[in-house]
């Protein structure tokens, strides 16, 4: 038997309004699929007057989120406010009142997920998070249900629409970083603080949730190596293209012999890979499992209705399973604990191949010095290309691509190269991800 759902909706911005429109437009279809009606009973927002005009008359609108928690008829709270407080207090209060929670708030879950999931488990309610990771793409469902037979070995994804939009629009149009970022903000993709997007923090939030779901480990932001796209130079995007690669901001988690890797950084992806051809604000996630092997999930990771689509899917799941025994419901990330799970890896142990751009003096012996340092660190060179640097006749740039090696060895080699007199400026370091 399905349970009729009365929703208390916190926030009526991009995600809250998208959720509301879908529930209204597809009401009969959703009722049929859920087995019971799902209706919004109350909305809590900052700007009550604006939202009052946007919702039906029978929906109560107030500025106090406590109203959602104290209303005994509300059985699910949708948190679409964002940020840490009061979102955390609202979610914990809703759980305490025995209400299920649906949230799009990856920042909150990545920082406070262990506390929230534990509280929900103790109370026997759900905290559903499909909208928090890769928006419309049902990646949480795919990992928990569709791929439940697998030992997942790696997940690599483009999980920030804003960065992918910036990287592909800059490449295609030559427009400036700031101009394209402003457009992403106008389109509702960017976070309230866009540094979360461009510095890789939003990708890291989603990555720790994916890793937690796939490997049954607690969420732990401290273990993620994070680099964003703000320092990426146009010339590296161009050189990468010439070498047959696209630069994408990737979130990567791997289950390895040396622990669970968690890293977010710009990466060179071979152009022949599907992931290299994911453009604009689209997201895509590649999952490798021992049985299914490689599978790819692609779709809109941001935007009002695409994100609302995931919120409503979670509401439908809750309507179908609210009456079921807790053990019959999908497990929450940290409660599907894998007792044998490895610890998190040290970033220095990561195995990668590299792209280095090294500004050097244009004179004999320089390339030999670089090659010697690389060899002394047991790293093997895949290719070494010298570039013209027309503005300074006595200088040039070397693009050095390596085979797989260990991050700490690479960092040691870079430190040594950086000390050479013939190296004229900072060495640019990017990682390659072959995704085989
Ligand atoms: N925008 C997207 O495409 C997208 C996609 C996935 C996840 N998310 C996440 O969804 C959440 C919401 O994002 P958004 O883009 O809809 O934000 P938004 O700024 O468009 O909307 C926020 C809403 O919350 C309300 N609000 C803020 N503080 C409040 C408070 N104290 N009490 C009551 N209401 C309050 C505001 O009035 C507004 O209606 C964030 O966690 C974000 O990371 C957004
Ligand atoms: N700011 C996020 C929103 C979706 O989580 C993005 O650009 O992908
Ligand atoms: Na999703």
């Amino acid at each position: 038997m399905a349970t009729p759902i009365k929703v208390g909706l916190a926030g009526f911005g991009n995600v809250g309004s998208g959720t509301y429109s879908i529930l209204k437009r597809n009401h009969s279809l959703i009722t049929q699929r859920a087995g019971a009606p799902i209706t919004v009973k109350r909305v809590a927002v900052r700007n009550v007057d604006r939202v009052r005009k946007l919702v039906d008359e029978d929906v109560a609108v107030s500025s106090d989120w406590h109203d959602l928690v104290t209303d005994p008829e509300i059985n699910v709270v949708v948190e679409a406010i964002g940020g840490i407080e009061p979102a955390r207090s609202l979610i914990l209060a809703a759980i305490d009142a025995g209400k299920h929670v649906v949230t799009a708030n990856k920042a909150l879950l990545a920082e406070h997920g262990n506390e929230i999931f534990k509280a929900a488990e103790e109370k026997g309610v759900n905290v559903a998070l499909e909208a928090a990771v890769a928006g419309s793409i049902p990646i949480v469902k795919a990992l928990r249900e569709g791929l439940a037979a697998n030992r997942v070995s790696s997940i690599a994804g483009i999980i920030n629409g804003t960065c992918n939009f910036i990287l592909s629009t800059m490449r295609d149009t030559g427009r400036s970083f700031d101009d394209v970022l402003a457009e992403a903000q106008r389109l509702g993709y960017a976070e309230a603080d866009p540094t979360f997007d461009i510095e890789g923090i939003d990708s890291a939030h989603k990555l720790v949730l994916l890793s937690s779901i796939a490997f049954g480990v607690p969420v732990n932001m401290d273990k993620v190596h994070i680099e964003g796209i703000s320092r990426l130079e146009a010339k590296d995007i161009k050189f990468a293209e010439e070498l047959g690669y696209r630069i994408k901001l990737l979130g990567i988690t791997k289950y390895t012999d040396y622990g669970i890797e968690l890293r977010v950084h710009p990466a060179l992806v071979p152009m022949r890979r599907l992931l290299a051809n994911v453009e604009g604000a689209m997201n895509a996630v590649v999952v490798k499992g021992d049985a299914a092997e490689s599978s790819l999930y692609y779709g809109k990771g941001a935007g009002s209705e695409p994100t609302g689509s995931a919120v409503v899917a979670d509401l439908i799941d809750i309507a179908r399973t609210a009456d079921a025994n807790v053990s019959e419901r999908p497990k929450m990330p940290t409660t599907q604990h894998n007792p044998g799970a490895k610890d998190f890896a040290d970033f220095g142990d990561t195995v990668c191949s590299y792209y280095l751009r090294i500004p050097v003096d244009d004179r004999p012996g320089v390339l030999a010095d670089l090659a010697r340092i690389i060899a002394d660190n047991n790293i093997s060179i895949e290719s070494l290309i010298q570039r013209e640097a027309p503005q300074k006749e006595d200088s040039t740039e070397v693009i050095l691509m390596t085979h797989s090696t260990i991050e700490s060895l690479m960092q040691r080699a870079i430190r040594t190269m950086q000390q050479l007199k013939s190296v004229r400026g900072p060495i640019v370091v990017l990682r390659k991800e072959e995704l085989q």
Side-chain angles (χ1 to χ4, degrees), residues 139 143 152-157 207 210-211 213-215 251-255 285-288 435:
I139 187 66
L143 284 170
V152 172
S153 55
S154 73
I155 303 176
L207 185 71
L210 287 173
S211 187
I213 295 163
F215 304 132
I252 298 165
T253 183
K254 290 185 181 172
Y255 199 87
V285 183
V286 178
V287 183
K288 282 184 197 159
L435 295 166

Side-chain angles (χ1 to χ4, degrees), residues 341-418:
K342 288 184 186 292
D343 206 347
F344 296 100
D346 285 333
F347 183 61
D349 293 336
T350 302
V351 176
C352 248
S353 47
Y354 296 80
Y355 160 107
L356 308 181
R357 176 164 56 79
I358 314 170
V360 290
D361 289 342
D362 189 8
R363 62 173 173 75
V366 172
L367 293 188
D369 287 345
L370 297 176
R372 181 183 41 77
I373 293 170
I374 292 285
D376 285 352
N377 285 283
N378 284 325
I379 300 169
S380 93
I381 295 175
E382 185 191 273
S383 64
L384 195 150
I385 304 158
Q386 193 169 328
R387 294 270 154 194
E388 294 292 322
Q391 70 278 29
K392 291 183 200 153
E393 280 171 12
D394 58 346
S395 78
T396 185
E397 283 187 313
V398 169
I399 308 289
L400 197 155
M401 307 274 268
T402 76
H403 288 295
S404 281
T405 185
I406 296 166
E407 176 75 27
S408 56
L409 291 181
M410 191 74 244
Q411 290 302 338
R412 194 171 66 188
I414 291 165
R415 279 196 302 276
T416 313
M417 287 190 280
Q418 200 70 76

Side-chain angles (χ1 to χ4, degrees), residues 11-16 44-47 50 63 65 80-83 86 104-106 131 188-189 191 301-303 307:
F12 206 84
N14 293 299
V15 178
V45 278
R46 278 218 185 101
N47 188 341
R50 182 183 74 88
S63 61
W65 59 261
I81 296 176
N105 194 336
K106 56 268 165 158
Y189 304 148
E191 293 304 302
T307 312

Side-chain angles (χ1 to χ4, degrees), residues 263-308:
R263 51 192 166 98
V264 172
H265 53 71
L268 276 73
V269 179
M271 262 184 220
R272 62 183 183 283
R273 299 268 172 241
L274 289 168
L275 218 54
N277 295 286
V278 171
E279 304 286 24
M282 300 305 279
N283 281 196
V285 183
V286 178
V287 183
K288 282 184 197 159
D290 60 341
E293 300 182 9
S294 203
S295 53
L296 172 74
Y297 307 85
Y298 170 84
K300 291 212 162 168
S304 180
E305 287 210 0
T307 312

Side-chain angles (χ1 to χ4, degrees), residues 129-140 310:
L129 69 160
E130 189 61 84
V133 188
S136 74
I137 304 175
I139 187 66
V140 174

